[in-house]
Amino acid sequence: MPVTAVVGANWGDEGKGKITDYLAREASFVVRYQGGNNAGHTIINEFGKFALHLLPSGVFYPNVVNVLGPGVAVNIPALLAEFDALQSRGVPRPDVRVSERAQVLLPHHILFDALEEERLGKESFGSTKSGIAPFYADKCLKIGLQVNELFDTAIVKARLAKAFVSRNVLLEKLYGKPPLVLEETVAQLIQLRDRLAPFVTDTTMLLQDAVEAGKTVLVEGQLGTLRDPDHGIYPYPTSSSPLAGFAAVGAGVPPWSISRIVAVTKAYSSCVGAGPFVTELHGDEGEGLRRRGGDAGEYGATTGRPRRVGWFDCVATSYGCRVQGATEAAITNLDVLGYRDAIPVCTAYRIAGETTTKFPVSRLLDGAEAVYEVFSGWKTDIGAIRSFDELPDKARDYVLFIEEKIRTPIRWVSVGPRREQIIRR
Ligand code: GDP
């Protein structure tokens, strides 16, 4: 069986967790390949409602091996807490494996993330302050620490000593804070490594063997195309690539094996954090959508921050699907729009007097205005519908219009937050 990627077509929070949880039923492996505990996937199933931050969305199925690949930022206390919390809520102990090549998110990454956001003030990036940007920066600077290296105390000491030289100059001179103390961090890591040890393995060969043996592997992206450092809304992306293409690297599966790419998008837009957002709604209209969106309003699964909301954006989503290489799309939260008399959809941008359907570089996005086509609403609750043909005509027209604009077959229509509230086309 090929590898299936479940990825975001937009700014994140598209409902990937729900789609992965649904598809994981048939999977042998579910893999996280980038990011850390800076975002959350909401899953509502027979065990209750969960916001997963680091654990892959297959943890509710006893037959699934859940992998944190080499591309993930491993915050060990957060991972262990999430693992324990699941069991305390009655979920059977999941099978979780952590790549020996993944890197450890260190306490000073979190510290630097918070200090830098504070220093930037009004210019801040809207970071969740989970340490993700400093983590990936240290990885590129080659002063990070791989999980396997935790088990060699001499390496831990030497690497941290090297990292702390420059970090301490910044702390003292730029932020006016006391320096990091090597012995404290080393002692902390030695304590944590023993608890992490049972999960650590060579996940790359595990997955290569799984692919070779024809097992079903699901790789799940965090955030979405527009947060990609290269293809997204720079300088407001995340620090690792949420693209399906990067899954080959961050999970360690052969690129040729990723043959099914499910791009997830909402039936409207939502965006956490800073950056250009052309269809953003303000005032009462925005508040009305925010209050009704998702399973309990559009508030961040990790931070509780109100999400910015807006109308569906065909320009951004068509780009998002293409850059992901989507072979199919899933549209979630269609039920949320059931209160609307009229539903605008952005079909083009006007930039400097020109109309375009091409998603531009960020520099031009700030001045872009949305061009809308307005659909009539269906004004009914569609949460119990399980077949596309039974949807109200107006809801079907809405989905079919979007399908044409994003040039990707919509195979899944989600009509509520619960696992079973889904239509397969
Ligand atoms: P993810 O990070 O892409 O998994 O998305 P989040 O979990 O952060 O946000 C998606 C939100 O939409 C969550 O509150 C989900 O429970 C909710 N959700 C997913 N699908 C649907 C749907 O079809 N209808 C409604 N009403 N909520 C949904």
Side-chain angles (χ1 to χ4, degrees):
M1 285 293 281
V3 176
T4 296
V6 179
V7 290
N10 306 108
W11 299 262
D13 306 320
E14 297 93 346
K16 298 175 295 293
K18 156 148 185 188
I19 302 296
T20 311
D21 174 62
Y22 184 82
L23 295 176
R25 284 186 309 180
E26 291 155 12
S28 302
F29 295 84
V30 177
V31 189
R32 279 280 311 269
Y33 61 88
Q34 41 89 220
N37 61 325
N38 51 322
H41 290 173
T42 311
I43 293 177
I44 303 177
N45 57 27
E46 71 267 31
F47 298 106
K49 175 178 167 176
F50 298 85
L52 297 179
H53 303 290
L54 255 177
L55 287 173
S57 301
V59 286
F60 302 99
Y61 298 98
N63 53 315
V64 170
V65 180
N66 294 277
V67 175
L68 271 66
V72 174
V74 184
N75 176 329
I76 306 172
L79 175 67
L80 296 171
E82 212 174 307
F83 186 80
D84 292 344
L86 279 191
Q87 289 169 81
S88 71
R89 291 184 57 193
V91 179
R93 186 185 168 86
D95 187 345
V96 175
R97 318 278 177 99
V98 177
S99 166
E100 59 189 3
R101 291 176 183 275
Q103 296 211 2
V104 185
L105 189 126
L106 297 162
H108 69 266
H109 295 143
I110 301 171
L111 176 69
F112 274 94
D113 201 352
L115 289 174
E116 185 60 6
E117 284 285 286
E118 195 182 306
R119 187 184 74 84
L120 290 171
K122 278 213 279 299
E123 301 282 297
S124 75
F125 292 102
S127 162
T128 59
K129 299 179 189 151
S130 319
I132 300 301
F135 165 90
Y136 283 107
D138 277 9
K139 185 172 177 173
C140 293
L141 289 169
K142 296 169 283 276
I143 50 174
L145 195 63
Q146 286 195 333
V147 163
N148 70 85
E149 293 175 326
L150 275 178
F151 299 93
D152 185 327
T153 308
I155 292 185
V156 175
K157 281 187 184 154
R159 188 72 46 75
L160 290 186
K162 194 170 175 187
F164 283 9
V165 174
S166 53
R167 306 302 94 174
N168 279 342
V169 172
L170 283 174
L171 267 181
E172 292 179 291
K173 301 276 189 263
L174 183 64
Y175 301 114
K177 299 286 176 197
L180 302 163
V181 181
L182 181 68
E183 292 70 28
E184 270 174 27
T185 312
V186 172
Q188 232 175 329
L189 289 174
I190 286 174
Q191 219 182 23
L192 286 171
R193 74 181 176 195
D194 294 335
R195 293 192 58 207
L196 188 70
F199 302 101
V200 178
T201 191
D202 179 355
T203 61
T204 303
M205 283 308 129
L206 181 73
L207 293 174
Q208 295 276 339
D209 288 346
V211 169
E212 236 173 74
K215 302 250 173 73
T216 309
V217 178
L218 266 188
V219 294
E220 60 173 328
Q222 181 214 40
L223 298 165
T225 308
L226 304 175
R227 297 288 182 197
D228 181 74
D230 293 304
H231 297 277
I233 48 171
Y234 195 84
Y236 301 98
T238 191
S239 306
S240 62
S241 173
L243 300 183
F246 185 73
V249 179
V253 292
W256 54 258
S257 66
I258 310 173
S259 58
R260 181 186 183 205
I261 298 171
V262 185
V264 185
T265 183
K266 270 185 180 140
Y268 50 90
S269 299
S270 73
C271 167
V272 169
F277 180 15
V278 177
T279 65
E280 182 167 13
L281 285 169
H282 301 279
D284 290 348
E285 218 175 11
E287 196 43 46
L289 182 54
R290 180 176 304 109
R291 194 156 35 86
R292 293 176 175 92
D295 68 285
E298 289 290 355
Y299 301 94
T302 298
T303 56
R305 290 186 294 188
R307 288 178 184 151
R308 300 159 71 194
V309 294
W311 299 126
F312 189 88
D313 183 338
C314 296
V315 181
T317 313
S318 143
Y319 173 80
C321 288
R322 285 190 86 178
V323 174
Q324 286 289 9
T327 57
E328 60 193 87
I331 189 162
T332 69
N333 284 271
L334 187 65
D335 53 299
V336 169
L337 296 175
Y339 73 102
R340 293 285 309 179
D341 291 320
I343 310 170
V345 174
C346 167
T347 53
Y349 294 164
R350 270 193 86 69
I351 301 173
E354 302 274 320
T355 303
T356 179
T357 54
K358 179 180 171 287
F359 189 76
V361 292
S362 318
R363 183 169 62 80
L364 300 176
L365 266 180
D366 279 330
E369 259 175 70
V371 176
Y372 288 111
E373 207 158 302
V374 180
F375 284 74
S376 346
W378 43 93
K379 301 282 286 183
T380 34
D381 179 1
I382 56 169
I385 295 176
R386 297 291 175 267
S387 103
F388 193 68
D389 292 341
E390 284 165 29
L391 281 175
D393 288 351
K394 286 173 179 159
R396 270 206 315 264
D397 291 348
Y398 184 78
V399 172
L400 293 174
F401 179 81
I402 286 174
E403 178 174 60
E404 193 195 316
K405 292 288 178 196
I406 65 173
R407 308 189 342 173
T408 310
I410 295 178
R411 295 263 178 264
W412 308 91
V413 180
S414 176
V415 291
R418 295 198 313 277
R419 188 185 272 169
E420 71 280 4
Q421 289 181 297
I422 194 152
I423 294 169
R424 183 185 191 145
R425 280 180 74 209

